[in-house]
Amino acid sequence: MTIIKRGFAALAAGALSTALAVPAFAEPVKFDFWFGLSGDLARVVDTLCKNFNASQKDYEVVCTSQGNYDATLQNTIAAFRAGKQPTVVQVYDVGTATMMLSGAYKPADKLMEENGYKIDYSDYFPGIARYYATSKGEMLSFPFNSSTALMYWNKDAFAKIGKTEAPKTWEDAGADLKALKDAGYDCPMAINISANESWQIMEQFSAIHDQPIATKNNGYDGLDARLEMNKTKFVQYVTDLKKWYDAGLIKIKSKDLGQDMVQAFATGTCQVIMTSVGDHGTVGKTQKEGMNWDVAELPVYAGTERKNSLVGGASLWVLSGKSDAEYKGAAAFLNFIHDPKTALFWSTNTGYIPVTKSGFEYMKANGFYDKAPYKGREVAIASLTASEPTEITRGIRLGNFTQIRAEFGTQMQAIFANKVSVQEGIDALVKNGDAILDRFQQTYPNKTLP
């Protein structure tokens, strides 16, 4: 039905003597939301969108999966050039620098203020908020699906070596893995070394040890940042992982090899993995019957003052070039997502964690973390809030970081295949990664991050 902009014309003479009052209803304002999740997660997003549409009558969000994060960003860029961009788009964490420099967005804090919503941005967990904020703390996008990495450990297997807790240090972890091997477990620990595992192996390790990935405070202070993980504790860490791999204490598990890490853990094949809290639900649904397991914060080297881990996932950006009506709809949608009740729905149906303190407290008050299958997910909050974010642990602000992750995978595979030494491989990662950063800097001459 079209919006009626003028009154009814008078009825013809001699017709009905009494005017008929016909109610006029405006169609809801439609706006597009593109996201990069698929499978079960896409179905949860669809339900979230339906819940928003049912909660009010003024706006209708049309939600469309683009298949994955990379495709979402690339499709959005293409759509923007054609003037057909969505109003809201989900962009993964490593796309943040690209979005900031694009100028193709409406800052989230300004959007909400202009449309009458008062958001307490201090309610967001600092380790999450600062990843998506400017150097001045201005929120450019809304944190959405957030996670961090944890250690998953088989309590039954550890009981057989006399342990009731997961290792807190990597020194203890090495001893525990050897004890598990001696106790007859063929795969004490599973890892993967593809591009995707840069997140838990390199990025999370560096954060909790307060070790830089790159100069310029991990890129926050300039596009001329360059990699330096070949000079940090990361070299020792990869050396230990390789040593344990050579000793049979670690196995590489991937889909290409027939079973990924999460499957290997859930079936009891491997006793320890490091993966996202987002996999907590998958393990719970697919675990071997009767298996007792738990999660813990990632270990640190002895003597380390643990810092907060990094947030993973994505945030919601509102793009420029849309109408005031669409922006009002977008603001209403973001406000709906910000509600603690939505946080409970989101975390219940996915493995993601609440992004606000109020959402976390609401979930605790409703007993979310009291028992399986959700008990243990609060460890992710403890990990993200282990310290106030430092100049290093607030995040990574490097351009084309997806390509750097791919280079990580290439060099890690070369290291584990004995083609290069640990130091040679990480040096090559830095050299090739710096070339990637140099190209990104040339793409944005004379520009600085906000």
Side-chain angles (χ1 to χ4, degrees):
M1 181 186 300
T2 58
I3 299 176
I4 298 176
K5 295 182 178 179
R6 57 181 182 271
F8 290 104
L11 294 175
L16 295 174
S17 59
T18 304
L20 299 178
V22 180
F25 298 100
E27 286 186 346
V29 174
K30 290 186 178 182
F31 63 96
D32 288 309
F33 167 40
W34 288 4
F35 61 94
L37 302 175
S38 59
D40 289 340
L41 291 175
R43 286 186 280 275
V44 177
V45 175
D46 286 337
T47 301
L48 178 69
C49 294
K50 290 176 182 176
N51 291 346
F52 168 72
N53 290 337
S55 71
Q56 44 72 51
K57 301 299 181 185
D58 295 326
Y59 311 104
E60 180 183 342
V61 62
V62 180
C63 301
T64 307
S65 172
Q66 303 297 309
N68 58 59
Y69 287 144
D70 284 333
T72 302
L73 184 57
Q74 295 306 315
N75 291 348
T76 298
I77 292 171
F80 196 91
R81 289 171 178 166
K84 298 180 180 180
Q85 70 271 24
T87 304
V88 183
V89 63
Q90 179 194 33
V91 178
Y92 58 166
D93 48 4
V94 297
T96 301
T98 298
M99 287 300 298
M100 284 182 166
L101 291 169
S102 72
Y105 59 88
K106 190 174 183 68
D109 52 0
K110 292 183 179 179
L111 171 83
M112 302 307 283
E113 182 181 356
E114 289 173 0
N115 288 281
Y117 296 99
K118 294 183 178 180
I119 304 295
D120 179 8
Y121 294 102
S122 65
D123 186 35
Y124 284 95
F125 288 111
I128 295 175
R130 294 185 188 179
Y131 200 107
Y132 301 111
T134 68
S135 58
K136 297 178 181 179
E138 301 160 330
M139 293 294 290
L140 299 185
S141 62
F142 258 55
F144 182 45
N145 54 306
S146 293
S147 62
T148 198
L150 298 174
M151 173 173 276
Y152 290 63
W153 59 291
N154 188 317
K155 297 174 71 173
D156 294 329
F158 273 74
K160 290 187 178 181
I161 61 171
K163 294 297 183 70
T164 59
E165 292 184 337
K168 290 183 171 59
T169 69
W170 278 114
E171 288 85 353
D172 288 342
D176 289 347
L177 295 179
K178 185 178 186 306
L180 288 168
K181 186 74 172 180
D182 292 343
Y185 291 99
D186 181 63
C187 177
M189 180 176 178
I191 65 171
N192 195 3
I193 49 175
S194 72
N196 291 335
E197 281 66 48
S198 166
W199 184 65
Q200 58 263 45
I201 293 178
M202 182 173 70
E203 298 159 43
Q204 298 290 351
F205 171 87
S206 298
I208 62 177
H209 288 81
D210 206 23
Q211 299 283 289
I213 295 289
T215 60
K216 298 282 184 174
N217 289 322
N218 279 347
Y220 272 75
D221 296 343
L223 297 186
D224 55 342
R226 295 298 181 261
L227 302 179
E228 60 175 339
M229 72 284 283
N230 59 339
K231 303 173 184 176
T232 72
K233 288 183 180 179
F234 178 64
V235 177
Q236 177 187 352
Y237 182 45
V238 177
T239 300
D240 284 338
L241 292 178
K242 178 63 165 57
K243 177 181 67 177
W244 296 330
Y245 172 77
D246 291 341
L249 309 184
I250 286 178
K251 303 285 186 179
I252 295 176
K253 295 291 182 178
S254 69
K255 289 183 179 180
D256 293 340
L257 297 175
Q259 189 181 49
D260 65 27
M261 289 189 301
V262 175
Q263 293 169 332
F265 180 77
T267 58
T269 303
C270 299
Q271 314 314 314
V272 177
I273 59 172
M274 297 180 295
T275 189
S276 169
V277 65
D279 289 319
H280 194 278
T282 300
V283 173
K285 293 175 184 176
T286 61
Q287 70 177 72
K288 181 176 67 175
E289 185 176 357
M291 187 177 90
N292 295 308
W293 59 280
D294 207 344
V295 291
E297 294 179 78
L298 297 180
V300 295
Y301 279 108
T304 298
E305 182 182 345
R306 176 187 293 276
K307 301 298 183 183
N308 64 282
S309 58
L310 295 183
V311 62
S315 65
L316 303 184
W317 292 78
V318 177
L319 300 182
S320 56
K322 310 305 289 188
S323 68
D324 288 343
E326 288 169 304
Y327 285 142
K328 287 183 181 294
F333 183 54
L334 294 180
N335 189 62
F336 176 82
I337 289 174
H338 179 73
D339 190 290
K341 293 187 289 296
T342 303
L344 178 60
F345 163 83
W346 183 242
S347 294
T348 299
N349 291 279
T350 67
Y352 294 114
I353 57 177
V355 296
T356 61
K357 301 168 190 173
S358 59
F360 181 51
E361 292 301 325
Y362 181 82
M363 291 167 63
K364 285 199 299 183
N366 280 272
F368 181 83
Y369 299 104
D370 291 346
K371 57 184 179 180
Y374 312 115
K375 183 176 175 57
R377 295 187 191 180
E378 69 277 11
V379 177
I381 301 294
S383 181
L384 282 167
T385 59
S387 71
E388 279 295 312
T390 71
E391 296 295 295
I392 297 300
T393 67
R394 59 181 168 176
I396 301 168
R397 191 74 86 235
L398 300 174
N400 290 336
F401 198 68
T402 301
Q403 296 177 32
I404 294 173
R405 283 179 169 176
E407 186 62 31
F408 163 89
T410 297
Q411 297 305 328
M412 286 291 286
Q413 290 166 36
I415 290 169
F416 277 72
N418 292 318
K419 294 180 179 179
V420 296
S421 69
V422 170
Q423 189 66 58
E424 288 172 339
I426 301 177
D427 285 344
L429 166 58
V430 168
K431 178 182 177 181
N432 297 338
D434 282 349
I436 293 169
L437 292 174
D438 185 59
R439 290 194 295 271
F440 185 81
Q441 185 180 8
Q442 293 177 29
T443 303
Y444 297 97
N446 303 317
K447 282 200 171 186
T448 58
L449 289 162

